[in-house]
Amino acid sequence: RLRNTTRRALLSWRGSADAFLAAAPGAVAELRRPAPPQQGCFAPGTLVEVMWPPEASAAGWTPFWLPATVVSVHADGRHVVRFERGGSWGDTERGVLLERLRPLPSSAPCAAAPCAEETPHAHALTI
């Protein structure tokens, strides 16, 4: 029964995908060339420190700065980071604002300039 349900779902998905691709023939090429955000950000692969907890500044607390790597950048300029050491919450955080990031001392920042001028080929969008 599960196999039949899975097969029907897959056939339905495939039909929808084929209809979409026929109606929008350039969609796949466009998805392969994501447009980087036009505002300042860190390029994927950049070593950064992330302010933790997220509300530390607003609450007036002294934050911890945790080492991480930028994995990707959302179209709205928010970052996806993977922490050097994860916890019970996991090792990745999505939607990280630029204000919560700073470059590691050994890493050169690209936050001073728009991402599009830095390494446009390195950007990946996360949906």
mmCIF file with all atom_site columns, all heavy atoms in Angstrom, residues 63-88:
data_model
loop_
_atom_site.group_PDB
_atom_site.id
_atom_site.type_symbol
_atom_site.label_atom_id
_atom_site.label_alt_id
_atom_site.label_comp_id
_atom_site.label_asym_id
_atom_site.label_entity_id
_atom_site.label_seq_id
_atom_site.pdbx_PDB_ins_code
_atom_site.Cartn_x
_atom_site.Cartn_y
_atom_site.Cartn_z
_atom_site.occupancy
_atom_site.B_iso_or_equiv
_atom_site.pdbx_formal_charge
_atom_site.auth_seq_id
_atom_site.auth_comp_id
_atom_site.auth_asym_id
_atom_site.auth_atom_id
_atom_site.pdbx_PDB_model_num
ATOM 1   N N   . PRO A 1 63 ? 27.339 39.005 24.775 1.00 0.00 ? 63 PRO A N   1
ATOM 2   C CA  . PRO A 1 63 ? 27.169 37.832 23.913 1.00 0.00 ? 63 PRO A CA  1
ATOM 3   C C   . PRO A 1 63 ? 28.405 36.939 23.896 1.00 0.00 ? 63 PRO A C   1
ATOM 4   O O   . PRO A 1 63 ? 29.502 37.354 24.250 1.00 0.00 ? 63 PRO A O   1
ATOM 5   C CB  . PRO A 1 63 ? 26.947 38.442 22.537 1.00 0.00 ? 63 PRO A CB  1
ATOM 6   C CG  . PRO A 1 63 ? 27.740 39.706 22.579 1.00 0.00 ? 63 PRO A CG  1
ATOM 7   C CD  . PRO A 1 63 ? 27.618 40.202 24.008 1.00 0.00 ? 63 PRO A CD  1
ATOM 8   N N   . PHE A 1 64 ? 28.182 35.713 23.468 1.00 0.00 ? 64 PHE A N   1
ATOM 9   C CA  . PHE A 1 64 ? 29.267 34.795 23.134 1.00 0.00 ? 64 PHE A CA  1
ATOM 10  C C   . PHE A 1 64 ? 29.452 34.919 21.630 1.00 0.00 ? 64 PHE A C   1
ATOM 11  O O   . PHE A 1 64 ? 28.497 35.148 20.895 1.00 0.00 ? 64 PHE A O   1
ATOM 12  C CB  . PHE A 1 64 ? 28.889 33.343 23.453 1.00 0.00 ? 64 PHE A CB  1
ATOM 13  C CG  . PHE A 1 64 ? 28.726 33.067 24.909 1.00 0.00 ? 64 PHE A CG  1
ATOM 14  C CD1 . PHE A 1 64 ? 27.462 33.073 25.488 1.00 0.00 ? 64 PHE A CD1 1
ATOM 15  C CD2 . PHE A 1 64 ? 29.821 32.792 25.710 1.00 0.00 ? 64 PHE A CD2 1
ATOM 16  C CE1 . PHE A 1 64 ? 27.294 32.818 26.835 1.00 0.00 ? 64 PHE A CE1 1
ATOM 17  C CE2 . PHE A 1 64 ? 29.662 32.541 27.060 1.00 0.00 ? 64 PHE A CE2 1
ATOM 18  C CZ  . PHE A 1 64 ? 28.396 32.546 27.626 1.00 0.00 ? 64 PHE A CZ  1
ATOM 19  N N   . TRP A 1 65 ? 30.684 34.768 21.159 1.00 0.00 ? 65 TRP A N   1
ATOM 20  C CA  . TRP A 1 65 ? 30.946 34.772 19.721 1.00 0.00 ? 65 TRP A CA  1
ATOM 21  C C   . TRP A 1 65 ? 31.425 33.374 19.344 1.00 0.00 ? 65 TRP A C   1
ATOM 22  O O   . TRP A 1 65 ? 32.483 32.943 19.776 1.00 0.00 ? 65 TRP A O   1
ATOM 23  C CB  . TRP A 1 65 ? 31.975 35.845 19.359 1.00 0.00 ? 65 TRP A CB  1
ATOM 24  C CG  . TRP A 1 65 ? 31.388 37.210 19.487 1.00 0.00 ? 65 TRP A CG  1
ATOM 25  C CD1 . TRP A 1 65 ? 31.415 38.005 20.590 1.00 0.00 ? 65 TRP A CD1 1
ATOM 26  C CD2 . TRP A 1 65 ? 30.634 37.904 18.502 1.00 0.00 ? 65 TRP A CD2 1
ATOM 27  N NE1 . TRP A 1 65 ? 30.733 39.176 20.343 1.00 0.00 ? 65 TRP A NE1 1
ATOM 28  C CE2 . TRP A 1 65 ? 30.240 39.149 19.069 1.00 0.00 ? 65 TRP A CE2 1
ATOM 29  C CE3 . TRP A 1 65 ? 30.248 37.624 17.196 1.00 0.00 ? 65 TRP A CE3 1
ATOM 30  C CZ2 . TRP A 1 65 ? 29.496 40.086 18.365 1.00 0.00 ? 65 TRP A CZ2 1
ATOM 31  C CZ3 . TRP A 1 65 ? 29.503 38.568 16.495 1.00 0.00 ? 65 TRP A CZ3 1
ATOM 32  C CH2 . TRP A 1 65 ? 29.140 39.774 17.075 1.00 0.00 ? 65 TRP A CH2 1
ATOM 33  N N   . LEU A 1 66 ? 30.600 32.679 18.553 1.00 0.00 ? 66 LEU A N   1
ATOM 34  C CA  . LEU A 1 66 ? 30.877 31.296 18.189 1.00 0.00 ? 66 LEU A CA  1
ATOM 35  C C   . LEU A 1 66 ? 31.413 31.205 16.767 1.00 0.00 ? 66 LEU A C   1
ATOM 36  O O   . LEU A 1 66 ? 30.832 31.789 15.840 1.00 0.00 ? 66 LEU A O   1
ATOM 37  C CB  . LEU A 1 66 ? 29.591 30.462 18.303 1.00 0.00 ? 66 LEU A CB  1
ATOM 38  C CG  . LEU A 1 66 ? 28.884 30.514 19.662 1.00 0.00 ? 66 LEU A CG  1
ATOM 39  C CD1 . LEU A 1 66 ? 27.572 29.744 19.594 1.00 0.00 ? 66 LEU A CD1 1
ATOM 40  C CD2 . LEU A 1 66 ? 29.786 29.969 20.748 1.00 0.00 ? 66 LEU A CD2 1
ATOM 41  N N   . PRO A 1 67 ? 32.515 30.464 16.556 1.00 0.00 ? 67 PRO A N   1
ATOM 42  C CA  . PRO A 1 67 ? 33.069 30.333 15.209 1.00 0.00 ? 67 PRO A CA  1
ATOM 43  C C   . PRO A 1 67 ? 32.154 29.514 14.308 1.00 0.00 ? 67 PRO A C   1
ATOM 44  O O   . PRO A 1 67 ? 31.556 28.522 14.742 1.00 0.00 ? 67 PRO A O   1
ATOM 45  C CB  . PRO A 1 67 ? 34.410 29.636 15.434 1.00 0.00 ? 67 PRO A CB  1
ATOM 46  C CG  . PRO A 1 67 ? 34.302 28.988 16.768 1.00 0.00 ? 67 PRO A CG  1
ATOM 47  C CD  . PRO A 1 67 ? 33.303 29.750 17.558 1.00 0.00 ? 67 PRO A CD  1
ATOM 48  N N   . ALA A 1 68 ? 32.044 29.958 13.057 1.00 0.00 ? 68 ALA A N   1
ATOM 49  C CA  . ALA A 1 68 ? 31.180 29.290 12.089 1.00 0.00 ? 68 ALA A CA  1
ATOM 50  C C   . ALA A 1 68 ? 31.681 29.588 10.678 1.00 0.00 ? 68 ALA A C   1
ATOM 51  O O   . ALA A 1 68 ? 32.573 30.414 10.483 1.00 0.00 ? 68 ALA A O   1
ATOM 52  C CB  . ALA A 1 68 ? 29.744 29.774 12.244 1.00 0.00 ? 68 ALA A CB  1
ATOM 53  N N   . THR A 1 69 ? 31.076 28.920 9.714  1.00 0.00 ? 69 THR A N   1
ATOM 54  C CA  . THR A 1 69 ? 31.363 29.141 8.300  1.00 0.00 ? 69 THR A CA  1
ATOM 55  C C   . THR A 1 69 ? 30.060 29.508 7.608  1.00 0.00 ? 69 THR A C   1
ATOM 56  O O   . THR A 1 69 ? 29.027 28.871 7.844  1.00 0.00 ? 69 THR A O   1
ATOM 57  C CB  . THR A 1 69 ? 31.937 27.867 7.648  1.00 0.00 ? 69 THR A CB  1
ATOM 58  O OG1 . THR A 1 69 ? 33.130 27.497 8.348  1.00 0.00 ? 69 THR A OG1 1
ATOM 59  C CG2 . THR A 1 69 ? 32.261 28.077 6.186  1.00 0.00 ? 69 THR A CG2 1
ATOM 60  N N   . VAL A 1 70 ? 30.098 30.526 6.754  1.00 0.00 ? 70 VAL A N   1
ATOM 61  C CA  . VAL A 1 70 ? 28.917 30.881 5.974  1.00 0.00 ? 70 VAL A CA  1
ATOM 62  C C   . VAL A 1 70 ? 28.709 29.792 4.930  1.00 0.00 ? 70 VAL A C   1
ATOM 63  O O   . VAL A 1 70 ? 29.614 29.458 4.166  1.00 0.00 ? 70 VAL A O   1
ATOM 64  C CB  . VAL A 1 70 ? 29.086 32.259 5.298  1.00 0.00 ? 70 VAL A CB  1
ATOM 65  C CG1 . VAL A 1 70 ? 27.916 32.565 4.377  1.00 0.00 ? 70 VAL A CG1 1
ATOM 66  C CG2 . VAL A 1 70 ? 29.246 33.346 6.353  1.00 0.00 ? 70 VAL A CG2 1
ATOM 67  N N   . VAL A 1 71 ? 27.511 29.230 4.918  1.00 0.00 ? 71 VAL A N   1
ATOM 68  C CA  . VAL A 1 71 ? 27.175 28.166 3.973  1.00 0.00 ? 71 VAL A CA  1
ATOM 69  C C   . VAL A 1 71 ? 26.524 28.756 2.728  1.00 0.00 ? 71 VAL A C   1
ATOM 70  O O   . VAL A 1 71 ? 26.839 28.369 1.607  1.00 0.00 ? 71 VAL A O   1
ATOM 71  C CB  . VAL A 1 71 ? 26.230 27.129 4.626  1.00 0.00 ? 71 VAL A CB  1
ATOM 72  C CG1 . VAL A 1 71 ? 25.799 26.081 3.632  1.00 0.00 ? 71 VAL A CG1 1
ATOM 73  C CG2 . VAL A 1 71 ? 26.904 26.487 5.832  1.00 0.00 ? 71 VAL A CG2 1
ATOM 74  N N   . SER A 1 72 ? 25.600 29.698 2.929  1.00 0.00 ? 72 SER A N   1
ATOM 75  C CA  . SER A 1 72 ? 24.933 30.351 1.801  1.00 0.00 ? 72 SER A CA  1
ATOM 76  C C   . SER A 1 72 ? 24.311 31.653 2.276  1.00 0.00 ? 72 SER A C   1
ATOM 77  O O   . SER A 1 72 ? 24.337 31.962 3.461  1.00 0.00 ? 72 SER A O   1
ATOM 78  C CB  . SER A 1 72 ? 23.873 29.429 1.186  1.00 0.00 ? 72 SER A CB  1
ATOM 79  O OG  . SER A 1 72 ? 22.854 29.156 2.117  1.00 0.00 ? 72 SER A OG  1
ATOM 80  N N   . VAL A 1 73 ? 23.767 32.388 1.316  1.00 0.00 ? 73 VAL A N   1
ATOM 81  C CA  . VAL A 1 73 ? 23.139 33.666 1.616  1.00 0.00 ? 73 VAL A CA  1
ATOM 82  C C   . VAL A 1 73 ? 21.758 33.679 0.968  1.00 0.00 ? 73 VAL A C   1
ATOM 83  O O   . VAL A 1 73 ? 21.626 33.377 -0.216 1.00 0.00 ? 73 VAL A O   1
ATOM 84  C CB  . VAL A 1 73 ? 23.968 34.849 1.074  1.00 0.00 ? 73 VAL A CB  1
ATOM 85  C CG1 . VAL A 1 73 ? 23.333 36.178 1.438  1.00 0.00 ? 73 VAL A CG1 1
ATOM 86  C CG2 . VAL A 1 73 ? 25.398 34.783 1.584  1.00 0.00 ? 73 VAL A CG2 1
ATOM 87  N N   . HIS A 1 74 ? 20.735 34.013 1.753  1.00 0.00 ? 74 HIS A N   1
ATOM 88  C CA  . HIS A 1 74 ? 19.382 34.137 1.221  1.00 0.00 ? 74 HIS A CA  1
ATOM 89  C C   . HIS A 1 74 ? 19.294 35.377 0.346  1.00 0.00 ? 74 HIS A C   1
ATOM 90  O O   . HIS A 1 74 ? 20.102 36.301 0.468  1.00 0.00 ? 74 HIS A O   1
ATOM 91  C CB  . HIS A 1 74 ? 18.366 34.268 2.361  1.00 0.00 ? 74 HIS A CB  1
ATOM 92  C CG  . HIS A 1 74 ? 18.204 33.040 3.188  1.00 0.00 ? 74 HIS A CG  1
ATOM 93  N ND1 . HIS A 1 74 ? 17.394 31.994 2.819  1.00 0.00 ? 74 HIS A ND1 1
ATOM 94  C CD2 . HIS A 1 74 ? 18.743 32.693 4.376  1.00 0.00 ? 74 HIS A CD2 1
ATOM 95  C CE1 . HIS A 1 74 ? 17.427 31.058 3.753  1.00 0.00 ? 74 HIS A CE1 1
ATOM 96  N NE2 . HIS A 1 74 ? 18.250 31.462 4.704  1.00 0.00 ? 74 HIS A NE2 1
ATOM 97  N N   . ALA A 1 75 ? 18.296 35.430 -0.507 1.00 0.00 ? 75 ALA A N   1
ATOM 98  C CA  . ALA A 1 75 ? 18.102 36.583 -1.382 1.00 0.00 ? 75 ALA A CA  1
ATOM 99  C C   . ALA A 1 75 ? 17.905 37.874 -0.583 1.00 0.00 ? 75 ALA A C   1
ATOM 100 O O   . ALA A 1 75 ? 18.239 38.950 -1.055 1.00 0.00 ? 75 ALA A O   1
ATOM 101 C CB  . ALA A 1 75 ? 16.905 36.346 -2.302 1.00 0.00 ? 75 ALA A CB  1
ATOM 102 N N   . ASP A 1 76 ? 17.384 37.769 0.651  1.00 0.00 ? 76 ASP A N   1
ATOM 103 C CA  . ASP A 1 76 ? 17.168 38.968 1.470  1.00 0.00 ? 76 ASP A CA  1
ATOM 104 C C   . ASP A 1 76 ? 18.408 39.381 2.259  1.00 0.00 ? 76 ASP A C   1
ATOM 105 O O   . ASP A 1 76 ? 18.359 40.295 3.073  1.00 0.00 ? 76 ASP A O   1
ATOM 106 C CB  . ASP A 1 76 ? 15.979 38.781 2.417  1.00 0.00 ? 76 ASP A CB  1
ATOM 107 C CG  . ASP A 1 76 ? 16.211 37.710 3.482  1.00 0.00 ? 76 ASP A CG  1
ATOM 108 O OD1 . ASP A 1 76 ? 17.297 37.100 3.514  1.00 0.00 ? 76 ASP A OD1 1
ATOM 109 O OD2 . ASP A 1 76 ? 15.288 37.486 4.281  1.00 0.00 ? 76 ASP A OD2 1
ATOM 110 N N   . GLY A 1 77 ? 19.541 38.699 2.038  1.00 0.00 ? 77 GLY A N   1
ATOM 111 C CA  . GLY A 1 77 ? 20.796 39.062 2.703  1.00 0.00 ? 77 GLY A CA  1
ATOM 112 C C   . GLY A 1 77 ? 21.038 38.339 4.011  1.00 0.00 ? 77 GLY A C   1
ATOM 113 O O   . GLY A 1 77 ? 22.093 38.502 4.615  1.00 0.00 ? 77 GLY A O   1
ATOM 114 N N   . ARG A 1 78 ? 20.095 37.539 4.464  1.00 0.00 ? 78 ARG A N   1
ATOM 115 C CA  . ARG A 1 78 ? 20.327 36.748 5.677  1.00 0.00 ? 78 ARG A CA  1
ATOM 116 C C   . ARG A 1 78 ? 21.213 35.564 5.322  1.00 0.00 ? 78 ARG A C   1
ATOM 117 O O   . ARG A 1 78 ? 21.166 35.050 4.215  1.00 0.00 ? 78 ARG A O   1
ATOM 118 C CB  . ARG A 1 78 ? 19.001 36.272 6.271  1.00 0.00 ? 78 ARG A CB  1
ATOM 119 C CG  . ARG A 1 78 ? 18.162 37.420 6.790  1.00 0.00 ? 78 ARG A CG  1
ATOM 120 C CD  . ARG A 1 78 ? 16.810 36.929 7.273  1.00 0.00 ? 78 ARG A CD  1
ATOM 121 N NE  . ARG A 1 78 ? 15.969 38.040 7.642  1.00 0.00 ? 78 ARG A NE  1
ATOM 122 C CZ  . ARG A 1 78 ? 15.519 38.239 8.876  1.00 0.00 ? 78 ARG A CZ  1
ATOM 123 N NH1 . ARG A 1 78 ? 15.811 37.387 9.830  1.00 0.00 ? 78 ARG A NH1 1
ATOM 124 N NH2 . ARG A 1 78 ? 14.775 39.273 9.137  1.00 0.00 ? 78 ARG A NH2 1
ATOM 125 N N   . HIS A 1 79 ? 22.000 35.153 6.296  1.00 0.00 ? 79 HIS A N   1
ATOM 126 C CA  . HIS A 1 79 ? 22.994 34.106 6.066  1.00 0.00 ? 79 HIS A CA  1
ATOM 127 C C   . HIS A 1 79 ? 22.566 32.760 6.650  1.00 0.00 ? 79 HIS A C   1
ATOM 128 O O   . HIS A 1 79 ? 21.798 32.705 7.605  1.00 0.00 ? 79 HIS A O   1
ATOM 129 C CB  . HIS A 1 79 ? 24.327 34.508 6.715  1.00 0.00 ? 79 HIS A CB  1
ATOM 130 C CG  . HIS A 1 79 ? 24.923 35.729 6.116  1.00 0.00 ? 79 HIS A CG  1
ATOM 131 N ND1 . HIS A 1 79 ? 24.421 36.994 6.337  1.00 0.00 ? 79 HIS A ND1 1
ATOM 132 C CD2 . HIS A 1 79 ? 25.984 35.886 5.297  1.00 0.00 ? 79 HIS A CD2 1
ATOM 133 C CE1 . HIS A 1 79 ? 25.153 37.880 5.677  1.00 0.00 ? 79 HIS A CE1 1
ATOM 134 N NE2 . HIS A 1 79 ? 26.107 37.232 5.040  1.00 0.00 ? 79 HIS A NE2 1
ATOM 135 N N   . VAL A 1 80 ? 23.121 31.713 6.081  1.00 0.00 ? 80 VAL A N   1
ATOM 136 C CA  . VAL A 1 80 ? 23.034 30.371 6.654  1.00 0.00 ? 80 VAL A CA  1
ATOM 137 C C   . VAL A 1 80 ? 24.449 30.046 7.105  1.00 0.00 ? 80 VAL A C   1
ATOM 138 O O   . VAL A 1 80 ? 25.398 30.158 6.318  1.00 0.00 ? 80 VAL A O   1
ATOM 139 C CB  . VAL A 1 80 ? 22.549 29.335 5.619  1.00 0.00 ? 80 VAL A CB  1
ATOM 140 C CG1 . VAL A 1 80 ? 22.529 27.938 6.228  1.00 0.00 ? 80 VAL A CG1 1
ATOM 141 C CG2 . VAL A 1 80 ? 21.176 29.713 5.086  1.00 0.00 ? 80 VAL A CG2 1
ATOM 142 N N   . VAL A 1 81 ? 24.605 29.697 8.378  1.00 0.00 ? 81 VAL A N   1
ATOM 143 C CA  . VAL A 1 81 ? 25.935 29.404 8.913  1.00 0.00 ? 81 VAL A CA  1
ATOM 144 C C   . VAL A 1 81 ? 25.963 28.011 9.524  1.00 0.00 ? 81 VAL A C   1
ATOM 145 O O   . VAL A 1 81 ? 24.959 27.512 10.023 1.00 0.00 ? 81 VAL A O   1
ATOM 146 C CB  . VAL A 1 81 ? 26.375 30.438 9.980  1.00 0.00 ? 81 VAL A CB  1
ATOM 147 C CG1 . VAL A 1 81 ? 26.479 31.834 9.379  1.00 0.00 ? 81 VAL A CG1 1
ATOM 148 C CG2 . VAL A 1 81 ? 25.437 30.445 11.170 1.00 0.00 ? 81 VAL A CG2 1
ATOM 149 N N   . ARG A 1 82 ? 27.129 27.398 9.453  1.00 0.00 ? 82 ARG A N   1
ATOM 150 C CA  . ARG A 1 82 ? 27.367 26.110 10.111 1.00 0.00 ? 82 ARG A CA  1
ATOM 151 C C   . ARG A 1 82 ? 28.418 26.340 11.182 1.00 0.00 ? 82 ARG A C   1
ATOM 152 O O   . ARG A 1 82 ? 29.531 26.781 10.898 1.00 0.00 ? 82 ARG A O   1
ATOM 153 C CB  . ARG A 1 82 ? 27.832 25.053 9.124  1.00 0.00 ? 82 ARG A CB  1
ATOM 154 C CG  . ARG A 1 82 ? 28.060 23.706 9.801  1.00 0.00 ? 82 ARG A CG  1
ATOM 155 C CD  . ARG A 1 82 ? 28.082 22.531 8.846  1.00 0.00 ? 82 ARG A CD  1
ATOM 156 N NE  . ARG A 1 82 ? 26.777 22.389 8.221  1.00 0.00 ? 82 ARG A NE  1
ATOM 157 C CZ  . ARG A 1 82 ? 26.580 22.360 6.901  1.00 0.00 ? 82 ARG A CZ  1
ATOM 158 N NH1 . ARG A 1 82 ? 27.592 22.458 6.074  1.00 0.00 ? 82 ARG A NH1 1
ATOM 159 N NH2 . ARG A 1 82 ? 25.373 22.237 6.395  1.00 0.00 ? 82 ARG A NH2 1
ATOM 160 N N   . PHE A 1 83 ? 28.027 26.058 12.420 1.00 0.00 ? 83 PHE A N   1
ATOM 161 C CA  . PHE A 1 83 ? 28.918 26.285 13.542 1.00 0.00 ? 83 PHE A CA  1
ATOM 162 C C   . PHE A 1 83 ? 30.031 25.248 13.580 1.00 0.00 ? 83 PHE A C   1
ATOM 163 O O   . PHE A 1 83 ? 29.833 24.090 13.208 1.00 0.00 ? 83 PHE A O   1
ATOM 164 C CB  . PHE A 1 83 ? 28.135 26.257 14.865 1.00 0.00 ? 83 PHE A CB  1
ATOM 165 C CG  . PHE A 1 83 ? 27.185 27.406 15.001 1.00 0.00 ? 83 PHE A CG  1
ATOM 166 C CD1 . PHE A 1 83 ? 25.855 27.270 14.669 1.00 0.00 ? 83 PHE A CD1 1
ATOM 167 C CD2 . PHE A 1 83 ? 27.635 28.640 15.445 1.00 0.00 ? 83 PHE A CD2 1
ATOM 168 C CE1 . PHE A 1 83 ? 24.979 28.329 14.781 1.00 0.00 ? 83 PHE A CE1 1
ATOM 169 C CE2 . PHE A 1 83 ? 26.773 29.716 15.555 1.00 0.00 ? 83 PHE A CE2 1
ATOM 170 C CZ  . PHE A 1 83 ? 25.435 29.554 15.218 1.00 0.00 ? 83 PHE A CZ  1
ATOM 171 N N   . GLU A 1 84 ? 31.196 25.683 14.045 1.00 0.00 ? 84 GLU A N   1
ATOM 172 C CA  . GLU A 1 84 ? 32.338 24.784 14.184 1.00 0.00 ? 84 GLU A CA  1
ATOM 173 C C   . GLU A 1 84 ? 31.997 23.631 15.124 1.00 0.00 ? 84 GLU A C   1
ATOM 174 O O   . GLU A 1 84 ? 32.373 22.495 14.887 1.00 0.00 ? 84 GLU A O   1
ATOM 175 C CB  . GLU A 1 84 ? 33.525 25.584 14.718 1.00 0.00 ? 84 GLU A CB  1
ATOM 176 C CG  . GLU A 1 84 ? 34.830 24.844 14.690 1.00 0.00 ? 84 GLU A CG  1
ATOM 177 C CD  . GLU A 1 84 ? 35.951 25.762 15.130 1.00 0.00 ? 84 GLU A CD  1
ATOM 178 O OE1 . GLU A 1 84 ? 36.410 26.581 14.308 1.00 0.00 ? 84 GLU A OE1 1
ATOM 179 O OE2 . GLU A 1 84 ? 36.361 25.652 16.311 1.00 0.00 ? 84 GLU A OE2 1
ATOM 180 N N   . ARG A 1 85 ? 31.294 23.952 16.211 1.00 0.00 ? 85 ARG A N   1
ATOM 181 C CA  . ARG A 1 85 ? 30.867 22.932 17.171 1.00 0.00 ? 85 ARG A CA  1
ATOM 182 C C   . ARG A 1 85 ? 29.371 23.100 17.392 1.00 0.00 ? 85 ARG A C   1
ATOM 183 O O   . ARG A 1 85 ? 28.935 24.118 17.893 1.00 0.00 ? 85 ARG A O   1
ATOM 184 C CB  . ARG A 1 85 ? 31.595 23.101 18.499 1.00 0.00 ? 85 ARG A CB  1
ATOM 185 C CG  . ARG A 1 85 ? 33.095 22.890 18.360 1.00 0.00 ? 85 ARG A CG  1
ATOM 186 C CD  . ARG A 1 85 ? 33.806 23.268 19.612 1.00 0.00 ? 85 ARG A CD  1
ATOM 187 N NE  . ARG A 1 85 ? 33.839 22.125 20.521 1.00 0.00 ? 85 ARG A NE  1
ATOM 188 C CZ  . ARG A 1 85 ? 34.250 22.194 21.760 1.00 0.00 ? 85 ARG A CZ  1
ATOM 189 N NH1 . ARG A 1 85 ? 34.628 23.348 22.266 1.00 0.00 ? 85 ARG A NH1 1
ATOM 190 N NH2 . ARG A 1 85 ? 34.291 21.125 22.511 1.00 0.00 ? 85 ARG A NH2 1
ATOM 191 N N   . GLY A 1 86 ? 28.620 22.092 17.012 1.00 0.00 ? 86 GLY A N   1
ATOM 192 C CA  . GLY A 1 86 ? 27.181 22.130 17.212 1.00 0.00 ? 86 GLY A CA  1
ATOM 193 C C   . GLY A 1 86 ? 26.821 21.764 18.642 1.00 0.00 ? 86 GLY A C   1
ATOM 194 O O   . GLY A 1 86 ? 27.665 21.430 19.461 1.00 0.00 ? 86 GLY A O   1
ATOM 195 N N   . GLY A 1 87 ? 25.558 21.841 18.925 1.00 0.00 ? 87 GLY A N   1
ATOM 196 C CA  . GLY A 1 87 ? 25.055 21.479 20.244 1.00 0.00 ? 87 GLY A CA  1
ATOM 197 C C   . GLY A 1 87 ? 23.816 20.622 20.094 1.00 0.00 ? 87 GLY A C   1
ATOM 198 O O   . GLY A 1 87 ? 23.538 20.092 19.020 1.00 0.00 ? 87 GLY A O   1
ATOM 199 N N   . SER A 1 88 ? 23.040 20.526 21.146 1.00 0.00 ? 88 SER A N   1
ATOM 200 C CA  . SER A 1 88 ? 21.817 19.731 21.096 1.00 0.00 ? 88 SER A CA  1
ATOM 201 C C   . SER A 1 88 ? 20.828 20.328 20.099 1.00 0.00 ? 88 SER A C   1
ATOM 202 O O   . SER A 1 88 ? 19.934 19.658 19.621 1.00 0.00 ? 88 SER A O   1
ATOM 203 C CB  . SER A 1 88 ? 21.184 19.655 22.487 1.00 0.00 ? 88 SER A CB  1
ATOM 204 O OG  . SER A 1 88 ? 20.878 20.956 22.948 1.00 0.00 ? 88 SER A OG  1
#
